[in-house]
Amino acid sequence: TGWYTLSLHDALPILSGTSLSDALTVAGALQTSLTESTADLEEEGIEYFLPDTDSLKYAQYGLRLTTTLGSQDLGFQYFSGNLREPSVSVDSANLFAINLKPTALADSTMTFNPEAVTVSYDRYHQLGADWAAVLAGFNARAEAAVNLTSDLSGDDGSVANPSFLWSVGFDRDLFARINLNAQGSGSVRLMHDKLGASPEDCEGGSEISSTRLITRLSRTFLRDEIEASFTGILGVEDADWLLMPELVWTRGDAAVSARAGFFGGDEEGNLGQYRDNGYATVSMRYNF
């Protein structure tokens, strides 16, 4: 049987121009295919929508070149892989298909159509460059890259738009053996003005940029065997944050660490959504 997907405003005109026998044939094929798809969905669950990534199609590869220019370190790279977060788009016009029963054409129902939901780990190519140097006692660094997906025109709602990524930061030893590490990073979605509405467009409703500021203060004690650190992450657009104190004791090849995380800010943000889910962990590592 074939796979027929008919929206409510399409199905009746199509069937009205056919003979009764042809209409029954179409309706029977539609009912059978819908039944098979929904049966597979019930059996596989969420796995029904996810693509099979165990193939060479999802292989990743890259090339990196580094060099030194005076006191500056430079790097250039190319990488090809798949985005870690899936793109999900929904064909809302065909999300529910008309299920016409061959024995009772007047008794029609709407049946969920799993094929109207598209999930993909989009392929992308990354071109990037990085720089590092010591400036006035600051260990400075910067990175920039562009992620090119197949949606170079920005109008394919089932594929993520290309994006520009950046990172700028430094670290420096302060007073009393305290080290400061600060960094800003983010991404800018290209052709943001061509995004469609959600859920048809997998990025519908997304902001044009995502920016995070990260600061880490650390200090060592007892001949560098114990390190105490405090890390803070701020999501600029979402006005949310994460605070992480950590204590690490290292002796030879063994290390024991204790860490906690506290979330806050806008509960709609990427970090703020976990505001009621702080955590604490204790771990041990041994190198051999």
Side-chain angles (χ1 to χ4, degrees):
T1 57
W3 174 229
Y4 299 90
T5 304
L6 302 176
S7 62
L8 183 59
H9 61 277
D10 290 334
L12 295 181
I14 291 176
L15 293 181
S16 63
T18 62
S19 64
L20 178 59
S21 60
D22 290 339
L24 291 175
T25 300
V26 172
L30 175 62
Q31 181 182 22
T32 301
S33 58
L34 282 174
T35 301
E36 292 175 350
S37 295
T38 53
D40 291 340
L41 175 59
E42 291 177 356
E43 179 179 352
E44 300 179 27
I46 191 64
E47 296 296 329
Y48 176 89
F49 298 103
L50 300 180
D52 181 11
T53 58
D54 295 332
S55 66
L56 290 178
K57 177 182 177 181
Y58 290 89
Q60 56 186 10
Y61 48 88
L63 177 67
R64 178 169 172 79
L65 172 67
T66 59
T67 186
T68 300
L69 183 62
S71 61
Q72 304 179 72
D73 296 327
L74 301 174
F76 305 91
Q77 70 178 38
Y78 165 76
F79 173 79
S80 179
N82 295 80
L83 297 177
R84 290 178 296 177
E85 293 187 3
S87 297
V88 181
S89 63
V90 179
D91 181 4
S92 58
N94 293 306
L95 185 58
F96 292 94
I98 295 180
N99 184 2
L100 297 174
K101 300 179 181 180
T103 56
L105 287 178
D107 183 15
S108 62
T109 60
M110 300 298 290
T111 302
F112 175 67
N113 173 19
E115 302 301 319
V117 179
T118 301
V119 180
S120 64
Y121 292 96
D122 300 332
R123 191 78 180 181
Y124 75 99
H125 303 272
Q126 182 183 94
L127 300 174
D130 56 85
W131 163 87
V134 178
L135 301 175
F138 290 84
N139 297 314
R141 56 191 176 274
E143 302 176 44
V146 59
N147 286 349
L148 299 176
T149 65
S150 61
D151 187 16
L152 295 178
S153 60
D155 55 5
D156 186 349
S158 64
V159 179
N161 281 21
S163 59
F164 172 76
L165 300 91
W166 62 272
S167 175
V168 177
F170 69 87
D171 64 86
R172 179 182 173 86
D173 290 329
L174 304 178
F175 56 90
R177 299 175 59 194
I178 297 176
N179 178 267
L180 169 64
N181 193 322
Q183 178 173 303
S185 63
S187 63
V188 178
R189 185 171 288 103
L190 304 181
M191 292 166 288
H192 180 266
D193 59 331
K194 293 187 178 181
L195 293 183
S198 179
E200 283 79 7
D201 196 308
C202 63
E203 295 182 301
S206 300
E207 296 187 14
I208 188 173
S209 64
S210 175
T211 309
R212 287 188 178 180
L213 302 178
I214 305 173
T215 300
R216 182 176 187 269
L217 291 170
S218 62
R219 190 186 189 285
T220 58
F221 303 87
L222 298 178
R223 297 182 296 278
D224 296 336
E225 286 190 2
I226 297 179
E227 180 185 51
S229 64
F230 186 86
T231 303
I233 303 176
L234 172 66
V236 177
E237 288 84 358
D238 294 331
D240 54 358
W241 46 265
L242 166 62
L243 300 178
M244 293 184 295
E246 183 176 16
L247 190 65
V248 180
W249 174 53
T250 303
R251 172 65 68 89
D253 294 325
V256 178
S257 63
R259 174 190 296 180
F262 306 95
F263 299 88
D266 189 345
E267 61 183 10
E268 297 297 325
N270 288 330
L271 297 174
Q273 63 180 316
Y274 304 111
R275 58 187 304 171
D276 297 325
N277 294 274
Y279 68 89
T281 63
V282 176
S283 62
M284 182 175 66
R285 183 183 73 248
Y286 181 78
N287 298 323
F288 58 91

